[in-house]
Amino acid sequence: MADSDWNSGADTSGEIVFTNVRILDATGEYPYSGEVTVKGNRISRVSRGGSRFGGGQYGGATVIDGMGATLMPGMIDAHLHLSWNNAPGIDPIQMMELEEHMLVTMEMAKLVLDAGFTSGRGAAAAKPRLDVVAKRFINEGRYPGPRYLAAGPEITTVGGLGDAAPSHIPHEGLNLGLVVSGPEEVRRTVRQLIKIGVDSIKLNLSGEAITGMGAEETPMSEEEVAMACAEARCRNKVISAHARSSGSVKQCIRHGIQNIYHASFADEESLDMLEAVKDKHFVAPGIAWLINTARHAEEWGIVPGSPLSMEYERELEMCVDTMKKMHKRGIRVCIGGDYGFAWTPQGTNAKDVQTFVDMLGFSPMEAIQAATKYGGEIMCMEHELGMIKEGYLADLLLVDGDPISDVSILQEQKRLLAIMKDGKFHKAPKTGEQRRRLTA
Ligand SMILES: [Zn+2]
């Protein structure tokens, strides 16, 4: 659309124009002044240069005067558990009864969207249909929440992460995971999850310190992993893995598992393997879980300096070292911190962006791209999500300030002046006049 269209009677009804904004488009280019027009649920126009309009109505369009604020893509969490209910540990997440759990899952979805996350890839659900139903109700516009890809419960081995049932009460409902042993059980489990409508299959390929099976153990057999991948692939489903150990990262690469979660203990050999096929994989370390479990969970019984906390300190140190190496090798490292425990509450997800800058050696621009551009890619929507480009989906944040000079402002919800998802405001901006009065 040319500038003159505004005066030539072109149909601008229903358009929303963000004018007088600094555009942080997440392509890697430094923010520039300009205007962004949204028509329907897509970005129809990105123009550089000064503003043509003040706020208000022009023709049929609604014009929003950004007053110099930053317009950037909505953030995307690569490892999101909407059914993790901010409870103090794995067991209290699992023990919540289904009816409450569904409602709480929708509450979590709103918290995440309120925090500026307009999309997320489900990493695992606490009960089989929670993610599937949450996604459907969000997509139908019945509840607020991020664009979401639904996971099912994690598939795990006997005694692995997610198999918490005591031996004298061997009831599968006590487990956060779906416990399998042998390829045929894997086959049936994957098919059942696909039947209920999940978008991805999640395998627990390593242990986890807090559960008793060590993070450096690799319990699932090659035959089981191969079966899961074959069954998922023939139904066009993406595969994700909880993979902290070096052996489990190698399993991910050998079997083409797209989303490698954690990867803290990946050794040089696995880094070489991963770099060679880096266009096929994403890594999301879930670093907030490590930091907060080691250092900020005393109120919930994990005392800093205790053996468990020290184990997480050790893994955190390994994780930082490994992620720095991956970043240098050009492997895509995404944000998403395993939020949803009492000490990693949903809605604090943007903390990851700062952690990537402070601890992993990302530039602010790189960290923001890890939260946007790479997010669009891990959602398998790289041609329409995660950047501000013409034709892309209109998932946008209007941010008071410059996130490139201080990424921590993304954690302050009052600085998220507007949150748009799919061309509609979840949080509508105040008018320029209202904002002038607020700051006067
Ligand atoms: Zn997780």
Side-chain angles (χ1 to χ4, degrees):
M1 187 173 71
D3 287 12
S4 59
D5 289 353
W6 287 91
N7 307 316
S8 66
D11 178 16
T12 57
S13 58
E15 287 186 357
I16 297 171
V17 183
F18 293 92
T19 190
N20 194 15
V21 289
R22 299 275 294 161
I23 301 170
L24 170 50
D25 63 17
T27 62
E29 185 174 347
Y30 197 78
Y32 49 90
S33 300
E35 285 179 350
V36 172
T37 302
V38 172
K39 189 168 177 102
N41 69 339
R42 303 233 169 219
I43 296 163
S44 61
R45 186 170 194 264
V46 180
S47 63
R48 290 163 192 260
S51 62
R52 293 167 297 158
F53 310 104
Q57 290 280 332
Y58 286 83
T62 302
V63 181
I64 290 152
D65 182 359
M67 296 169 65
T70 302
L71 190 70
M72 62 175 277
M75 291 182 281
I76 301 170
D77 192 306
H79 182 133
L80 188 58
H81 299 286
L82 287 185
S83 61
W84 271 210
N85 54 17
N86 288 352
I90 293 171
D91 289 349
I93 291 175
Q94 181 58 16
M95 287 303 126
M96 178 174 272
E97 295 196 58
L98 182 59
E99 295 80 0
E100 285 88 344
H101 211 152
M102 189 69 246
L103 293 172
V104 168
T105 299
M106 301 320 295
E107 286 180 348
M108 297 297 130
K110 180 173 182 297
L111 288 180
V112 169
L113 183 55
D114 286 342
F117 282 78
T118 51
S119 295
R121 179 174 265 290
K127 298 182 177 76
R129 294 182 72 246
L130 291 173
D131 263 17
V132 171
V133 176
K135 174 191 162 187
R136 177 154 54 85
F137 274 59
I138 292 168
N139 284 353
E140 290 174 0
R142 299 162 81 166
Y143 281 84
R147 248 176 239 288
Y148 194 46
L149 290 172
E154 298 159 323
I155 298 175
T156 195
T157 46
V158 175
L161 165 61
D163 177 7
S167 56
H168 66 293
I169 317 173
H171 191 287
E172 62 185 32
L174 294 169
N175 296 321
L176 195 63
L178 300 169
V179 182
V180 296
S181 196
E184 278 309 317
E185 288 186 22
V186 172
R187 190 201 307 266
R188 169 168 285 277
T189 305
V190 171
R191 287 178 176 180
Q192 281 173 333
L193 289 172
I194 294 173
K195 177 183 173 184
I196 64 167
V198 301
D199 295 304
S200 58
I201 295 296
K202 166 94 174 278
L203 306 177
N204 282 350
L205 298 186
S206 78
E208 171 76 44
I210 205 167
T211 68
M213 180 189 276
E216 289 175 86
E217 296 178 44
T218 308
M220 203 173 277
S221 71
E222 287 298 293
E223 294 82 359
E224 290 166 327
V225 180
M227 177 65 88
C229 293
E231 289 295 325
R233 222 163 258 134
C234 72
R235 301 293 305 280
N236 297 317
K237 301 302 174 193
V238 165
I239 310 148
S240 306
H242 172 97
R244 296 192 181 279
S245 66
S246 201
S248 63
V249 172
K250 289 175 192 165
Q251 276 182 326
C252 289
I253 302 160
R254 276 199 300 274
H255 295 280
I257 294 175
Q258 178 187 287
N259 306 327
I260 306 174
Y261 291 135
H262 312 305
S264 312
F265 295 101
D267 62 12
E268 290 297 324
E269 186 186 16
S270 62
L271 293 176
D272 287 343
M273 289 167 67
L274 188 52
E275 187 179 352
V277 287
K278 62 187 176 187
D279 293 342
K280 293 185 180 159
H281 297 275
F282 300 91
V283 174
I287 195 164
W289 162 256
L290 298 179
I291 296 169
N292 290 6
T293 305
R295 300 176 183 175
H296 304 298
E298 183 163 11
E299 195 182 322
W300 296 277
I302 305 172
V303 180
S306 65
L308 184 58
S309 127
M310 294 311 288
E311 189 54 31
Y312 277 100
E313 283 288 352
R314 183 177 78 89
E315 179 167 349
L316 175 60
E317 195 177 316
M318 289 298 299
C319 170
V320 167
D321 188 47
T322 303
M323 294 308 134
K324 283 181 174 170
K325 288 176 185 164
M326 286 191 183
H327 183 47
K328 283 203 187 89
R329 288 169 179 257
I331 293 161
R332 291 174 291 187
V333 180
C334 298
I335 74 143
D338 232 334
Y339 292 93
F341 294 93
W343 52 93
T344 56
Q346 304 275 13
T348 60
N349 312 51
K351 178 80 180 171
D352 265 45
V353 182
Q354 188 185 351
T355 304
F356 273 36
V357 172
D358 291 348
M359 294 178 79
L360 302 186
F362 281 56
S363 70
M365 181 67 83
E366 288 169 339
I368 287 169
Q369 286 187 290
T372 52
K373 180 176 188 280
Y374 289 170
E377 293 171 9
I378 201 172
M379 294 287 288
C380 303
M381 297 172 77
E382 61 271 27
H383 302 299
E384 56 179 353
L385 191 68
M387 291 187 277
I388 296 182
K389 282 185 169 184
E390 290 178 2
Y392 273 51
L393 290 161
D395 288 10
L396 299 167
L397 304 179
L398 186 63
V399 183
D400 178 17
D402 176 12
I404 296 294
S405 57
D406 180 5
V407 292
S408 76
I409 66 175
L410 295 171
Q411 297 164 59
E412 295 179 47
Q413 291 192 16
K414 68 176 187 305
R415 302 188 76 151
L416 303 181
L417 303 173
I419 300 169
M420 173 178 271
K421 192 194 101 186
D422 210 36
K424 294 192 187 76
F425 283 115
H426 169 65
K427 180 180 187 179
K430 298 195 179 345
T431 64
E433 187 50 40
Q434 285 171 324
R435 278 171 58 199
R436 268 187 287 273
R437 260 187 268 129
L438 278 176
T439 52

